[in-house]
Amino acid sequence: MSWSKKITDKVTWVGKVDWELKTFHGDELSTNKGSSYNSYLVRDEKVALIDTVWLPYDKEFVTKLKEEIDLNEIDYIIINHAEIDHSGALPELMREIPDTPIYCTNNGIKSLKGHFHQDWNFVPVKTGDTLELGDSKFVFVEAPMLHWPDTMFTYMTGENILFSNDAFGQHYATEALYNDLVDQGELFAEAIKYYANILAPFSTRVKKKIEEVLALNLPIDLICTSHGVIWRNNPGQIIERYLQWAEDYQENQITIVYESMWEGTRKMAEALASGILQADDDVVVKIMSAAKDDKNDIVTEIFRSKAILLGSSTINNRYLSGIGGLVEMVKGLKFKNKKAAAFGSYGWSGESVKLLSKDLTEAGFEVVDEGIRVLWQPDSDAIKACMAYGKQFAEKV
Ligand code: FEO
């Protein structure tokens, strides 16, 4: 029994499923369901390897690849994207086959040289360039900022496969390999988390690139991503989702994110939620703690929301650090089409609400009013005021 997985007569998955991965991009992104680094071996008259795996698995990758094929039979290496989760095994591989040409974009060459400081046999490609394989060929499509400047897609004729690298991927470890064989709830939860946390800042480019690829009218039977499942059952469904996510996405959801020192701001969050539901019992309301919930799950819920309420106690004339970290992330992700307001309890000066309102505006949210503050612990009148504020907020958004 082989470790590799045959996808079509000509294409074999030769990647690595990483069940243990719990964070990615250092500690910036949680990957609670693990991930995979999908590499593909294409065998026609010519033999090509598309992408490799992350650096810690470089020796394992090359050892196993040798079980699959004599490395000297590999005519071409395609690097769709130079980030080290896909290029990490190149040094180990290139020690074995140092002259093999590496096809990537010009920015890919710069990135690979920057990472590995090697002058390998690079062949730059751009959109529309092709590489003959025999019966089939590759067509390259540059896809800058999906999600690095060097990224490209590789389309394989005959097999009708789009090798999309990061796009349409998920950090989701599975041995099942195909989209129709996994838990659909988990799959789409990981897919939207991936989009919200990685691709959202580039939504305008995502939309344009998808429209450009669709305009080519290429038949697409499989989308072979570099993370998570291969889309074989109705691959158009993930393209459709991406078009929705790239278009100022929102659901009928309001998310309340707070951080609290002595429970006052938490009590405000709960009263606000209750007020929102008095105004609109169809809206989904979620309450999350910036200090205790997974920051990337919070970001995903913000991405899904039409509006958010962001709350913090005041400390040292500012807001708490968990909220501060979240604000930094959200500023970078450039979400659009979302309304917001701030809230918080305080004892002395009470700057947090004003500061959060300013940050929300800078992050691109439409701040609907000056927010709500409560001095010390909310009493029953203050709780009623928060409920009334929540109701009014729901009516505004
Ligand atoms: Fe999966 Fe941008 O690396």
Side-chain angles (χ1 to χ4, degrees):
M1 185 169 161
S2 170
W3 65 280
S4 62
K5 293 170 184 167
K6 191 170 173 176
I7 298 168
T8 69
D9 284 346
K10 291 191 170 74
V11 181
T12 303
W13 178 93
V14 289
K16 171 69 188 174
V17 179
D18 188 347
W19 295 90
E20 292 189 352
L21 190 78
K22 293 297 169 233
T23 63
F24 191 80
H25 284 163
D27 293 316
E28 193 65 4
L29 178 63
S30 62
T31 50
N32 300 323
K33 298 280 178 194
S35 192
S36 67
Y37 320 108
N38 297 333
S39 170
Y40 301 96
L41 189 63
V42 175
R43 281 178 275 215
D44 199 333
E45 286 168 30
K46 296 287 187 181
V47 175
L49 179 74
I50 300 180
D51 294 323
T52 70
V53 301
W54 187 32
L55 190 62
Y57 298 105
D58 61 349
K59 288 183 177 55
E60 178 180 330
F61 172 75
V62 171
T63 302
K64 285 182 166 181
L65 196 59
K66 282 181 184 171
E67 292 170 13
E68 184 69 28
I69 192 169
D70 176 348
L71 297 183
N72 292 303
E73 289 179 22
I74 298 173
D75 298 291
Y76 315 121
I77 296 168
I78 315 297
I79 294 291
N80 279 329
H81 171 36
E83 199 164 6
I84 55 163
D85 50 323
H86 309 296
S87 66
L90 264 184
E92 190 69 18
L93 181 64
M94 297 311 283
R95 270 192 275 280
E96 303 268 353
I97 46 173
D99 300 323
T100 309
I102 299 173
Y103 290 71
C104 59
T105 62
N106 268 315
N107 277 329
I109 296 173
K110 285 183 202 164
S111 259
L112 289 170
K113 285 187 174 177
H115 282 307
F116 303 116
H117 308 286
Q118 296 290 321
D119 204 14
W120 291 317
N121 179 13
F122 294 112
V123 182
V125 295
K126 50 189 189 320
T127 296
D129 287 355
T130 58
L131 183 62
E132 296 294 335
L133 298 164
D135 291 340
S136 56
K137 66 180 176 187
F138 288 148
V139 182
F140 302 110
V141 179
E142 291 168 274
M145 303 318 295
L146 267 73
H147 68 114
W148 270 18
D150 67 299
T151 302
M152 69 175 185
F153 298 160
T154 298
Y155 178 78
M156 184 179 177
T157 65
E159 304 293 276
N160 303 338
I161 300 176
L162 182 68
F163 295 96
S164 62
N165 199 265
D166 283 330
F168 313 121
Q170 333 82 48
H171 287 302
Y172 186 37
T174 171
E175 289 295 332
L177 197 60
Y178 296 106
N179 69 301
D180 51 309
L181 299 183
V182 300
D183 181 308
Q184 299 298 292
E186 284 184 354
L187 173 61
F188 282 99
E190 292 305 323
I192 194 170
K193 178 179 176 183
Y194 187 99
Y195 189 93
N197 284 275
I198 297 175
L199 288 162
F202 314 110
S203 285
T204 307
R205 285 174 181 263
V206 168
K207 185 169 176 287
K208 269 194 192 156
K209 185 53 59 181
I210 289 177
E211 286 168 352
E212 181 190 318
V213 171
L214 291 178
L216 298 174
N217 279 320
L218 301 168
I220 297 176
D221 294 340
L222 296 171
I223 298 177
C224 288
T225 65
S226 60
H227 297 293
V229 298
I230 292 170
W231 298 90
R232 72 170 177 187
N233 172 258
N234 184 14
Q237 66 180 303
I238 191 61
I239 297 175
E240 193 55 41
R241 296 276 182 131
Y242 263 50
L243 286 172
Q244 289 169 7
W245 294 338
E247 189 92 59
D248 300 348
Y249 187 68
Q250 60 166 236
E251 298 174 21
N252 187 22
Q253 176 172 325
I254 298 174
T255 303
I256 302 170
V257 186
Y258 73 93
E259 188 169 3
S260 198
M261 284 175 70
W262 293 110
E263 313 301 334
T265 302
R266 176 182 61 73
K267 289 173 191 164
M268 289 180 74
E270 290 167 5
L272 290 164
S274 161
I276 291 167
L277 288 168
Q278 279 176 25
D280 178 0
D281 57 11
D282 284 334
V283 71
V284 173
V285 181
K286 295 188 181 174
I287 301 179
M288 304 185 87
S289 160
K292 296 184 172 66
D293 282 305
D294 180 305
K295 61 183 188 283
N296 304 106
D297 288 343
I298 296 174
V299 161
T300 308
E301 295 304 334
I302 292 174
F303 178 66
R304 295 175 67 181
S305 299
K306 62 180 179 182
I308 68 165
L309 284 163
L310 198 57
S312 174
S313 325
T314 296
I315 184 168
N316 299 333
N317 308 111
R318 298 201 58 77
Y319 41 67
L320 293 165
S321 61
I323 282 285
L326 186 71
V327 163
E328 276 307 309
M329 288 182 78
V330 170
K331 279 185 183 172
L333 290 166
K334 300 187 174 72
F335 295 153
K336 294 189 176 65
N337 195 27
K338 301 193 189 299
K339 294 181 177 168
F343 67 97
S345 70
Y346 67 105
W348 312 336
S349 50
E351 288 91 343
S352 68
V353 172
K354 209 171 191 174
L355 289 169
L356 285 176
S357 298
K358 184 167 169 282
D359 281 322
L360 284 164
T361 303
E362 282 174 21
F365 289 75
E366 182 189 331
V367 177
V368 297
D369 57 34
E370 69 282 3
I372 182 167
R373 299 193 310 170
V374 167
L375 180 61
W376 301 115
Q377 284 292 336
D379 60 10
S380 63
D381 283 346
I383 291 294
K384 280 182 199 150
C386 287
M387 288 169 73
Y389 181 87
K391 186 166 180 280
Q392 177 200 347
F393 181 77
E395 286 159 359
K396 280 185 188 172
V397 303

